[in-house]
Amino acid sequence: MSIALKNLDTHTMDCQGDEAITPDLLKFFYSRLFPYKSYVNWLNYGTENNATFKTRELSFTLPSDAYLRFQSFNGAEDLKTEIMKMCPTKIDIGAIYSAKPRDKRSIRASTFKPIEKELIFDIDMTDYDEIRTCCSGASICNLCWKFMTVAIKIIDAALREDFGFKHLLWVYSGRRGVYCWVCDENARKLSNENRSAIVSYLALIKGGAQVNKKVHLNKALHPSIRRSLNIIENYFEDLVLKDQDVLGSEENWSKVLNCIPDDEIIKKLSNKWNSSSSKSSVQKWEELVSELENATNVSGKKFSKKAEQLQFCKFEIMIQYTYPRIYEAVSKHINHLLKGPFCAHPKTGRVCVPIQPEDCENFDPFKVPTVASVYHELNQYIEGERKIHGDYDKTSLKPYIKYFDKFVSGILKEVREIR
């Protein structure tokens, strides 16, 4: 099925500069650029006759906001036909079930069960609103996006080094966050209890907005926490102190000081900073650390419980202000769905492209291809109505699809070697 590239309604922008998707653009994208074959190869994991893919749940959100769950398909052509017919604004990926999800109504409920799914992580910038000062809500900028860089580095390292997972697909959400799909076979077969245990292991931030101090460490720092601190130390000054300027105003520095378990230090620093408005957040942080060190080393208190709390308070604050905020419910349950890669965000028009974790600090969400931008790129290669083969090669989606193809090939190669 071919969609002509001329006369499409492509220019729709909201007040924040986002690029909304028109129905024509969405049809063009699904017809010419969506990687159906690689999608199916990924979600099938090398089983014969697409046996695994046939029992995989896909769910569609339609332009009318109708949400269709328990869709399933026989292969790439079947999937493309239905997507072109329904033109969903979002495609969610769910679990592999004991039978075809589309046959759910004709199957006894007790026998229709989710049996396998990738271990997934959802990290959303809105969960950083209590610590970021540059933006809030759905808004992001290049300053606060660095929180996502730190999150990817910390979680990716933990999953690989602490759990031995290899096949991690990081994906930009299209607006303000990132997803991680852990695709190793032993990850896909985890029970809900095992998934919850991994999430608990990774979650260092405890407590909601009403809790001032959300991180509690002791002198026996786990190696994974030490590794995370090594990553955090590379970003803390620039990200938290300079970009976010968290000690720049009393409203913000009060939140930091409330993490200190010593009223005298809180009062001393607060008075000092209120009397001197010229100090930068970096200078104030140096004073804070100095006060903590002095209080820790006071004669007669060096080995007390209070001294131990003060000794690790610096690291607790650093973790609280940089460590990943994981949306735990998404990761804990095998039947939870998550938006798939290469969808297009309906508000921004940006494509949900993969992120290479080893190069994540160079990822710029504002340079991600939009459906409109790849339409215009491809349009430059059209001569009359001549059909173009390998359409994505002519657009800025090329490196992302190539990376995805390579990722899928790596999984399939391992499957063949095991068999």
Side-chain angles (χ1 to χ4, degrees):
M1 185 174 187
S2 177
I3 298 293
L5 295 183
K6 60 182 180 179
N7 300 323
L8 294 190
D9 178 13
T10 64
H11 188 70
T12 306
M13 307 288 285
D14 71 14
C15 60
Q16 293 184 336
D18 288 340
E19 212 170 78
I21 305 175
T22 66
D24 280 347
L25 274 175
L26 206 51
K27 288 179 181 178
F28 149 75
F29 179 75
Y30 285 136
S31 173
R32 307 293 289 270
L33 298 172
F34 192 82
Y36 294 98
K37 184 177 179 181
S38 295
Y39 232 71
V40 173
N41 285 339
W42 167 40
L43 297 175
N44 185 55
Y45 292 103
T47 58
E48 294 183 4
N49 300 317
N50 290 334
T52 294
F53 181 71
K54 290 176 181 178
T55 57
R56 167 80 71 166
E57 179 189 5
L58 296 179
S59 296
F60 296 159
T61 302
L62 304 185
S64 64
D65 286 335
Y67 184 50
L68 306 181
R69 282 203 63 178
F70 300 111
Q71 308 295 301
S72 59
F73 307 93
N74 294 323
E77 286 303 317
D78 186 23
L79 176 63
K80 182 174 183 178
T81 297
E82 199 65 17
I83 286 180
M84 290 301 301
K85 175 183 174 184
M86 295 190 175
C87 211
T89 55
K90 187 173 71 155
I91 301 170
D92 287 313
I93 299 173
I96 297 164
Y97 280 80
S98 53
K100 293 181 180 180
R102 67 184 178 190
D103 296 335
K104 178 178 182 289
R105 292 184 179 180
S106 62
I107 301 171
R108 191 166 52 189
S110 60
T111 62
F112 183 73
K113 298 178 180 179
I115 57 174
E116 184 178 315
K117 195 195 67 181
E118 297 80 6
L119 174 63
I120 55 178
F121 295 93
D122 180 356
I123 304 173
D124 194 296
M125 192 70 80
T126 55
D127 293 324
Y128 290 75
D129 279 358
E130 64 182 351
I131 60 173
R132 61 175 176 157
T133 61
C134 54
C135 305
S136 63
S139 298
I140 63 167
C141 68
N142 284 319
L143 297 181
C144 59
W145 184 257
K146 293 177 186 177
F147 284 115
M148 293 295 109
T149 298
V150 176
I152 291 172
K153 286 182 175 291
I154 288 176
I155 299 301
D156 191 82
L159 292 172
R160 293 180 192 275
E161 297 177 27
D162 299 344
F163 296 96
F165 297 132
K166 295 188 297 182
H167 301 291
L168 278 61
L169 180 66
W170 287 93
V171 179
Y172 172 48
S173 72
R175 191 171 206 179
R176 60 178 185 265
V178 295
Y179 305 140
C180 180
W181 299 79
V182 187
C183 302
D184 301 64
E185 183 176 6
N186 53 345
R188 303 195 308 267
K189 295 183 180 299
L190 289 169
S191 66
N192 287 338
E193 291 74 21
N194 293 148
R195 293 167 194 261
S196 295
I198 291 174
V199 171
S200 297
Y201 174 87
L202 293 173
L204 296 185
I205 310 296
K206 307 290 186 181
Q210 72 281 2
V211 178
N212 292 323
K213 185 177 180 181
K214 298 178 174 62
V215 179
H216 298 272
L217 304 177
N218 55 57
K219 60 183 178 182
L221 285 182
H222 191 279
S224 69
I225 296 178
R226 292 187 182 275
R227 183 185 57 237
S228 295
L229 280 168
N230 287 336
I231 294 171
I232 288 168
E233 285 175 345
N234 292 327
Y235 290 90
F236 183 79
E237 181 173 314
D238 285 341
L239 170 56
V240 177
L241 301 179
K242 294 181 179 178
D243 293 345
Q244 298 301 319
D245 194 23
V246 298
L247 300 178
S249 69
E250 185 173 10
E251 178 184 1
N252 289 322
W253 80 51
S254 294
K255 297 177 184 178
V256 177
L257 294 182
N258 283 334
C259 296
I260 300 174
D262 188 301
D263 291 339
E264 291 183 13
I265 295 177
I266 293 174
K267 184 178 180 180
K268 182 177 181 180
L269 289 174
S270 186
N271 289 338
K272 182 184 292 188
W273 296 345
N274 271 313
S275 63
S276 177
S277 59
S278 62
K279 291 181 180 178
S280 68
S281 283
V282 174
Q283 292 171 317
K284 292 172 183 173
W285 176 253
E286 290 172 349
E287 292 179 344
L288 184 154
V289 172
S290 178
E291 288 295 335
L292 290 175
E293 290 175 348
N294 291 338
T296 301
N297 294 319
V298 169
S299 177
K301 295 184 179 179
K302 189 172 182 180
F303 301 104
S304 68
K305 182 67 175 177
K306 184 67 171 290
E308 183 180 307
Q309 291 176 337
L310 294 173
Q311 179 183 359
F312 288 95
C313 187
K314 166 189 171 181
F315 300 126
E316 291 170 337
I317 294 172
M318 292 173 69
I319 290 173
Q320 182 161 324
Y321 273 78
T322 52
Y323 195 83
R325 271 71 173 159
I326 298 171
Y327 183 15
E328 297 186 16
V330 172
S331 305
K332 289 181 177 181
H333 303 291
I334 191 172
N335 62 346
H336 206 294
L337 296 99
L338 187 66
K339 181 168 60 177
F342 296 103
C343 290
H345 196 286
K347 298 293 186 182
T348 66
R350 297 186 194 121
V351 181
C352 302
V353 295
I355 300 172
Q356 299 184 47
E358 64 274 14
D359 192 43
C360 62
E361 57 195 351
N362 292 318
F363 180 83
D364 186 344
F366 297 103
K367 293 182 179 179
V368 167
T370 66
V371 176
S373 71
V374 293
Y375 158 75
H376 289 299
E377 290 166 0
L378 186 55
N379 197 39
Q380 295 176 9
Y381 288 85
I382 297 300
E383 298 174 7
E385 293 297 319
R386 181 169 64 86
K387 183 176 177 60
I388 298 293
H389 295 285
D391 286 343
Y392 74 85
D393 274 346
K394 316 300 190 299
T395 75
S396 52
L397 276 178
K398 179 179 178 178
Y400 301 106
I401 293 182
K402 288 288 188 184
Y403 175 77
F404 182 59
D405 288 345
K406 183 179 179 181
F407 175 81
V408 174
S409 294
I411 293 175
L412 298 183
K413 180 182 177 183
E414 182 176 89
V415 169
R416 288 192 298 268
E417 289 173 350
I418 291 174
R419 289 178 180 173

